[in-house]
Amino acid sequence: MRKQKNRFNFIVGLILVSFALLLVIIGIFYTPYDPNEMNVLAKNQAPSLSHLFGTDYMGRDVLSRVMEGAFTTFFVGIATVFIGATVGSILGAVTGYFGGVVDEILMRINDAVASFPSILLALVFVSIFGTGKYNVILALGILFIPSFARVIRSEFIIQKEMDYVKSARLLGASHIRIIFLHIFPNTKAILRSAITIGFNNAVLAEAGMSYLSLGVQPPDPSLGRMLSESQTYLFGAPWMALAPGLMIVITVLGFSLLNEGS
């Protein structure tokens, strides 16, 4: 029963993620309209054959903006996780393997940063250094480091006492070789789970910051920014909020189900 549930979650997650990725990839090379092209005569049009997701209050094609906004969201999520996972994994590996004073200092700094909500610190960072896609990536990437460091550190503390590590030491393997060639490959399962969760958190954080006008700035489309702009027209033109909202839900739910089913 458990295996069937995991398989079901994996298949559904794969379908949702594939749909989101397909939309993003197509959007890189082709969109039905220019995402920023305004047409006053076509504003607030309901979904139709010419505009599958309708148009917004400026007459811009919602589908084209969702495709472009989804690419921005994926880019921010991937870049954020790359920074957090790379730096955090190295810190976690070093502190977990060697321990001692360095471990205590770095982990206390880690705990101090982790004690504050990531989104709150990101908002402070962006408000100081300015808005924009790359500032959001840098802010979220730095704030995601502690979570990855903590996960990898815990795994290294367990793995370094295993027999295969002790055998490698007896054979004269260097610490660098043991860390990167012996232990790291055995952390891939927990690291994959951490990356999936981190990506979902990055997507939601970017959407939240853009919703508050502190993330991706116009004219670049952003799913969070589209939700913010659509709230005034929620009852008159609900498709403006429905399309970007569904894209966020599909992305987050898809990766969550993939993680549960793998």
Side-chain angles (χ1 to χ4, degrees):
M1 181 66 70
R2 176 74 176 178
K3 288 184 178 180
Q4 290 180 345
K5 182 180 179 182
N6 287 344
R7 182 175 176 79
F8 176 78
N9 288 341
F10 182 83
I11 292 174
V12 174
L14 184 63
I15 292 171
L16 294 177
V17 170
S18 298
F19 172 78
L21 283 174
L22 182 63
L23 207 62
V24 169
I25 293 171
I26 293 175
I28 296 174
F29 303 101
Y30 167 79
T31 54
Y33 298 87
D34 183 341
N36 297 318
E37 182 182 357
M38 294 180 285
N39 184 356
V40 179
L41 298 178
K43 66 179 183 179
N44 293 337
Q45 285 189 357
S48 62
L49 291 178
S50 56
H51 297 282
L52 294 180
F53 286 2
T55 61
D56 66 7
Y57 66 103
M58 291 186 179
R60 298 172 297 190
D61 183 63
V62 174
L63 174 59
S64 300
R65 291 183 63 76
V66 165
M67 294 168 75
E68 189 77 13
F71 170 76
T72 301
T73 298
F74 267 76
F75 177 75
V76 171
I78 291 170
T80 296
V81 169
F82 177 79
I83 294 172
T86 302
V87 179
S89 295
I90 293 173
L91 286 177
V94 171
T95 56
Y97 182 81
F98 291 106
V101 178
V102 176
D103 177 37
E104 285 296 321
I105 293 173
L106 289 177
M107 284 302 104
R108 296 298 74 78
I109 295 173
N110 211 23
D111 292 340
V113 174
S115 63
F116 294 94
S118 296
I119 186 65
L120 179 61
L121 289 179
L123 291 174
V124 172
F125 184 97
V126 170
S127 64
I128 293 173
F129 295 100
T131 57
K133 178 167 57 179
Y134 296 104
N135 279 345
V136 170
I137 290 172
L138 184 60
L140 293 177
I142 292 173
L143 295 174
F144 276 34
I145 290 173
S147 58
F148 283 99
R150 193 161 46 247
V151 167
I152 297 300
R153 174 181 176 271
S154 300
E155 192 67 15
F156 262 73
I157 290 174
I158 296 171
Q159 293 291 332
K160 72 177 183 180
E161 301 299 330
M162 296 289 187
D163 290 338
Y164 75 92
V165 175
K166 295 178 180 178
S167 299
R169 289 195 189 114
L170 290 174
L171 292 173
S174 65
H175 293 309
I176 298 297
R177 182 178 179 85
I178 292 173
I179 289 172
F180 290 101
L181 295 183
H182 292 274
I183 301 181
F184 242 125
N186 291 309
T187 66
K188 61 183 180 181
I190 193 167
L191 183 59
R192 181 177 65 245
S193 179
I195 287 173
T196 304
I197 295 171
F199 178 81
N200 279 349
N201 289 337
V203 168
L204 293 173
E206 184 278 326
M209 293 176 69
S210 295
Y211 181 86
L212 297 172
S213 301
L214 293 173
V216 179
Q217 296 299 299
D220 294 334
S222 166
L223 298 179
R225 183 85 185 187
M226 291 177 69
L227 284 175
S228 177
E229 293 173 346
S230 66
Q231 62 184 350
T232 306
Y233 306 89
L234 195 57
F235 295 103
W239 53 86
M240 287 175 54
L242 192 61
L246 278 176
M247 191 63 189
I248 293 174
V249 171
I250 288 171
T251 301
V252 173
L253 181 61
F255 278 99
S256 296
L257 290 175
L258 269 183
N259 183 46
E260 290 181 9
S262 59

